[in-house]
Each structure stands twice: as C-alpha cells, then as structure tokens.
Amino acid sequence: MDYIRKYYPYALILSCIGLGCALFFQVTMDDAFIMFRYGYNFVHFDVWNFFPSKTRLVEAYTTFLYTAISIIPAYLHIYAYTFYKILGFLLFLLLIFQLYHSTKNKRLALVAIFIFVANWQTYVHTFSGLETMLWCCLFFRLIILLQSEQIQQQQNQAWIIALLLPLTRPEGIFISIFAFLYLVFKRKIKVNYVILTLVILLGIAYFIWRYNYFGELFPLPFYQKSVKSSAGIISIIINSFSALHYIVCLLVFTVIFRKNAFFVYLSTLVLCLFYFVYGTSLLSMNFADRFSYQLFFPVLLFGIISISNVAETDKIKIKYCAYFLVCFVFAKGAYSTHSRNFSTIHDNMFSGYYYNKTHLNIAKQLRKLNQPNIKIFCNEAGIIPYYSNVTYYDPEGLADNYLSKHILTKEFIEKIQPDAFFYLIGVPYQEINAWTDKLNKHHPLYYYKYLLHSDKYEKIGYVECIDYQIYIGIAIRKDSKYYHELVQAGKAAIQSANEQEFYVKKFIKGNYYREFPTL
C-alpha cells in the first residue's frame, strides 16, 4: 500500500503525458506556417520577409524570437513542423522540470505538475508550432526569480528573461517593466547596471531595427487583431466568457493570497494585460484558449506551489479550485461548439486531418500549376501561401501593411485584380448569401459581399472543413489569364478533399501529420 501511495502520482502524471501526446501530437495550426516562411525565405532568398523578396516588407508575426528559430530547420533542410513539435515538447519538459524544482515541498510540486499535464490545452500549445509554451517557460521562470531568496545573485538571469519576453510576445514589455520596478523598489536589490544597460540597449536596438526595416510601430497582427478587428464591449463580453474558468480561478487564488503582495500585484497585472491587450479584440485564432492560457495558467501554477504558508483550509480550497479548473477545461473541450477557434478536444485532435483536407489540398493543386504570377486572395496566411508558390494577398491584413489597418474595399480588389479567391467562412455554405447580405461596408468581412454579388468571379464550389462547420469557398476571375488552369485546380482540390476519409489506423500512425510535404 505504501508503495502504491508513493508512486501512483508519478504513474498518473506519466499516463496523462502519454495520452496527451498520443491525442494531440498531430495538432497543426495554420499560423505556425507564417513563421516557417520567414526562416525559409531568409535561408533561400536572403531576405527576412513573409514574401521571398524585399518588396512588400511585412511583419506578419508577433514573436520575433520563435520566428527566428525557424532559420535552423530551413538551414538544416529538415521539416520545420517536425522541428517545432520536438522543440515544443522539450519546452513542455522544461516547464515540468521548473515546477518540480521550484519548491522544496515535492508533494505540492507533483500537484502543480498534475494540473499542468492534466489540462488537455497544454498539449495543443506544446505541438501547435506557436510560441505559447516558450512564453509560459519564460514567464514562469521570471515569476520564480522575482520571489527567489537568491535574486541578488540571479538578477542577471532575470534581466535576460526580461529581454526575451518582449521578443516572444509584445505584451512581454509590460511584464519586464513590472519585474524591473518590483526588483528595484520592492526587493531593493543592488542592480548590476552593466547587464541591465546591455539588455536595455539590445531591446532598443531591436526596436529601431524592426521599425526601420518594416516601417510599422507594431507587428501587423497587433493592428489586425487589436485595432481593425475590434467590437468594443461585445468583444470584452465574449473574451471574458471564453476565459471565465481561468479568471475565476485567478480571483479565488488572489483572495486566498490577499496578504501576499507579490501575488496580488501579479494577478492584477495579468488581468489588466488580458483586458488591455486582448479585451476588445476579435480573437479569431484563440484556439484552446490560447490567449488566456498563456497569461493566467503560469500564475495559477505558481499559486499552487506557493501554498505552503497559507492556512490548511486555504490549501484545500486552492487544490480543489485547481482540480475544478482541469475538469471545467475538459468539459468545455468536450461540449463547446465554437469550431472556428478550435475550442474543442475533437477539433484539435483531428486538426491534422482537417487541414490536410482543406488547406493542403488547395495548396498542392496551386503549386502544380507552377505559375508564380497568379494572384490569389486568401484569408488564411499559413499553409496555402507557404506551399502554393503564387503571389499572395491577405484580405484580412495579417500579411499586408495597408489592409492590417483598413477594411478591404471594392476599389482595392479591382486595383489588384486577384485571379482567385479562397475564402474561409464559418457559416453553412447554403446560408452564405443571407449572411453576407447583413454586412455593411465597414465590416471586416465586407469583401465576401462584393465577391458573392460580383459577376466578375465564378464560384466553382467549396471545400468542407471541421465537420462541415467551416468552409473554404473558391472563386475564379472570369477574365483571368489563368482561368482554365485555376478552375481545373480548384475542382481537383474540391474533389480530392471530398474523397478523403478519416481512418483511425492512419491517425494512430501519425500519417496525417506526415502528409505535409517539404519545400
């Protein structure tokens, strides 16, 4: 019995890890291919840009640090998505290592590790190819350093992380400023001004370089998500509801730790960041609660390992609250109907199949044409432009300086004259006309209305995605030089996608993930 009691936590944790990796290893997020594109273009075209030339310079990513890493697989000629999955898993293990060694109470450490590995969203962010897990590792480590008794000797590490956080995500600058103020005015450490000055100068140098290079004060996703795609109070309500479980748990932790000034400061900071940075944004790629996860979950994990000094009843409350969080996240993942944001366990598990069925089939057919001068509009900036070898325009502005801050207009479309539209939409295809009729010219998706009512484009069909809740429609300009080739390619993509079936055996073997070709 003692043997079982001693080792069952480890067995439970390992079981969660094994199951999570098996179910979510094939998770593929479209935005990750935006980063892969920069590394590939840097190695093969000697340019740091989304496009393989020095024209139309755009900063289509929010994370410089994680994007810069894409140079490594491009230089070594290995699959970028395989490389990033391995990197994500190593960061996942690093965070477990940090949790275990961040407290002398190993039972609390095991509780925190269990909460971390029992949350299915953890595996989505581990294997998605995006920077979420790197951010969590850096953020959690900085939190531990700020409370460390050896911070005087470890301050250089804190200053380096304070540099890396803004390079990982723009909101990291606020956390870095908080770290500086807390260490200088609250902990009153003797600052190593040599290292701190070097860190500040490097940060300033990077900002000056990127501003001179791209000509924009912020990355384009900031404008696209926080400025252009904003619905005010409606967005605040929607985003609060989607993050409700994390917010409630954070507030419970804060009440219990109300005498702990540092935790109160920290929870106030992340709450302010969530509403200031994301509150009014239409978070269209908030898969697996990505934005609330990366801000709140590291703080909650820190709260779990910090309960040694609270009353016994409060310890029980925090543990039950943490277990409730895991159960609530599972229930939300099991029953949510918001397919556009990949909010369910089902949609994330099978995303490799879904993306192969839609984006990859379209990209392969376009690539076969071998016509780089073909101009396409597509509101998915990852897989399709990464593989298709055509001239790409992003109508929603993620990869276009002008459209990141302005609504796509009829005049802009007629000026560019795209040869084809590939438009993703989250309403039943049969209802698309009724849906677009309600859009006014100030709506970010107004171009759907122009497209569907224009006699210049022939709508040849659509590819179904995610249990028929999302569609990628295909429309070809009738007077295009490449009309016949594009019609043939579009119909081939539709046919190959509709004929593709899901096989459990193929999923278990990881074959859907392996279908992504190399460039």
Side-chain angles (χ1 to χ4, degrees):
M1 183 65 71
D2 291 338
Y3 180 85
I4 295 175
R5 185 178 299 174
K6 181 179 179 181
Y7 290 105
Y8 92 87
Y10 298 95
L12 187 60
I13 288 169
L14 289 175
S15 298
C16 289
I17 294 173
L19 182 62
C21 291
L23 295 180
F24 296 102
F25 179 75
Q26 296 187 79
V27 166
T28 304
M29 288 303 156
D30 190 68
D31 283 7
F33 287 82
I34 297 174
M35 298 189 301
F36 304 164
R37 196 172 162 97
Y38 278 85
Y40 183 85
N41 288 341
F42 183 80
V43 171
H44 295 279
F45 299 101
D46 195 29
V47 60
W48 185 252
N49 192 20
F50 180 84
F51 303 101
S53 67
K54 292 188 177 180
T55 58
R56 296 175 66 196
L57 291 172
V58 295
E59 190 178 13
Y61 54 81
T62 54
T63 171
F64 172 77
L65 183 59
Y66 217 54
T67 304
I69 295 173
S70 68
I71 295 172
I72 298 174
Y75 182 78
L76 297 177
H77 300 284
I78 60 177
Y79 295 113
Y81 39 86
T82 303
F83 175 86
Y84 271 91
K85 286 182 185 295
I86 295 172
L87 177 60
F89 186 68
L90 292 176
L91 292 168
F92 166 83
L93 294 177
L94 176 60
L95 191 45
I96 291 177
F97 178 84
Q98 290 184 53
L99 286 168
Y100 190 77
H101 291 280
S102 295
T103 176
K104 294 178 181 179
N105 188 331
K106 297 309 177 187
R107 293 188 65 181
L108 282 180
L110 290 175
V111 171
I113 292 171
F114 172 73
I115 297 301
F116 175 63
V117 301
N119 185 341
W120 67 266
Q121 295 178 343
T122 294
Y123 302 97
V124 176
H125 302 307
T126 296
F127 297 117
S128 68
L130 297 182
E131 74 282 356
T132 308
M133 198 52 60
L134 173 61
W135 166 272
C136 290
C137 285
L138 293 172
F139 187 21
F140 183 80
R141 181 56 184 165
L142 183 61
I143 293 172
I144 297 300
L145 287 172
L146 293 180
Q147 283 293 88
S148 172
E149 295 177 358
Q150 289 81 38
I151 185 58
Q152 186 65 55
Q153 295 77 30
Q154 296 175 321
Q155 64 169 297
N156 291 346
Q157 187 181 157
W159 300 137
I160 292 172
I161 293 176
L163 171 65
L164 296 179
L165 275 173
L167 296 180
T168 305
R169 289 201 60 81
E171 60 266 31
I173 186 64
F174 298 104
I175 296 175
S176 299
I177 293 172
F178 166 76
F180 171 79
L181 295 175
Y182 185 79
L183 290 178
V184 173
F185 297 104
K186 190 69 176 179
R187 296 296 302 272
K188 300 185 184 302
I189 67 169
K190 186 178 180 181
V191 177
N192 184 340
Y193 285 103
V194 175
I195 298 297
L196 179 60
T197 302
L198 180 61
V199 164
I200 294 174
L201 289 177
L202 287 173
I204 294 173
Y206 166 72
F207 183 83
I208 293 174
W209 168 79
R210 59 162 296 281
Y211 180 75
N212 288 333
Y213 190 79
F214 293 112
E216 297 289 346
L217 194 60
F218 300 106
L220 298 192
F222 172 81
Y223 295 108
Q224 196 266 343
K225 289 183 172 66
S226 300
V227 178
K228 177 181 165 185
S229 299
S230 176
I233 190 65
I234 296 176
S235 291
I236 292 176
I237 295 172
I238 293 173
N239 294 335
S240 297
F241 181 77
S242 68
L244 187 62
H245 44 296
Y246 287 116
I247 294 173
V248 168
C249 286
L250 183 68
L251 292 176
V252 171
F253 277 37
T254 305
V255 171
I256 294 173
F257 285 110
R258 59 188 177 276
K259 295 182 180 179
N260 184 330
F262 175 73
F263 194 90
V264 174
Y265 296 153
L266 189 62
S267 60
T268 303
L269 173 65
V270 294
L271 277 170
C272 291
L273 282 178
F274 180 76
Y275 285 104
F276 174 72
V277 178
Y278 306 130
T280 60
S281 304
L282 293 173
L283 301 176
S284 59
M285 282 303 291
N286 188 25
F287 62 90
D289 296 327
R290 170 189 171 197
F291 298 102
S292 54
Y293 178 98
Q294 65 191 14
L295 278 179
F296 299 136
F297 203 40
V299 179
L300 294 174
L301 293 174
F302 169 71
I304 294 171
I305 65 172
S306 303
I307 62 177
S308 299
N309 299 323
V310 301
E312 201 63 36
T313 54
D314 288 336
K315 290 180 182 179
I316 296 173
K317 290 177 183 177
I318 286 180
K319 288 181 181 179
Y320 275 114
C321 185
Y323 295 141
F324 164 79
L325 174 64
V326 172
C327 294
F328 190 94
V329 170
F330 175 80
K332 181 183 178 183
Y335 298 107
S336 175
T337 58
H338 200 334
S339 60
R340 176 66 179 95
N341 280 347
F342 281 87
S343 57
T344 70
I345 295 172
H346 172 275
D347 291 345
N348 282 281
M349 277 175 57
F350 302 120
S351 63
Y353 165 67
Y354 293 137
Y355 273 120
N356 287 2
K357 189 177 181 181
T358 54
H359 300 63
L360 195 54
N361 278 297
I362 291 171
K364 285 180 177 179
Q365 294 300 327
L366 288 173
R367 192 170 185 83
K368 286 180 182 178
L369 299 179
N370 195 26
Q371 295 287 353
N373 292 326
I374 290 176
K375 292 183 287 188
I376 70 166
F377 269 32
C378 177
N379 62 336
E380 291 284 89
I383 293 172
I384 292 176
Y386 182 77
Y387 284 116
S388 58
N389 190 30
V390 295
T391 302
Y392 170 75
Y393 290 88
D394 179 11
E396 293 192 21
L398 198 61
D400 189 283
N401 288 327
Y402 176 79
L403 293 177
S404 65
K405 298 183 284 292
H406 301 86
I407 300 298
L408 180 64
T409 62
K410 174 183 176 181
E411 290 73 24
F412 188 92
I413 296 173
E414 293 179 347
K415 176 184 177 183
I416 301 298
Q417 290 194 325
D419 297 291
F421 266 100
F422 298 89
Y423 50 100
L424 185 145
I425 193 165
V427 296
Y429 198 78
Q430 296 76 6
E431 302 174 13
I432 191 171
N433 285 296
W435 180 77
T436 53
D437 285 340
K438 300 176 183 177
L439 303 180
N440 61 55
K441 64 180 180 179
H442 300 295
H443 195 283
L445 303 181
Y446 176 74
Y447 66 92
Y448 285 137
K449 188 171 185 176
Y450 165 80
L451 173 65
L452 293 171
H453 294 277
S454 173
D455 57 0
K456 296 181 180 180
Y457 288 87
E458 178 181 348
K459 293 164 280 298
I460 65 171
Y462 61 93
V463 180
E464 299 172 321
C465 176
I466 310 182
D467 282 354
Y468 318 111
Q469 296 178 60
I470 287 183
Y471 306 84
I472 295 184
I474 302 175
I476 313 298
R477 199 176 86 241
K478 295 177 181 179
D479 61 350
S480 169
K481 176 182 176 182
Y482 310 100
Y483 171 78
H484 296 291
E485 294 94 328
L486 285 169
V487 169
Q488 186 177 0
K491 290 182 177 179
I494 293 170
Q495 181 179 355
S496 60
N498 292 339
E499 290 176 353
Q500 185 172 326
E501 296 182 10
F502 178 80
Y503 296 100
V504 174
K505 186 176 180 181
K506 193 174 181 181
F507 173 81
I508 294 173
K509 288 183 176 180
N511 288 353
Y512 289 114
Y513 147 74
R514 293 173 187 164
E515 286 183 359
F516 285 99
T518 186
L519 289 178

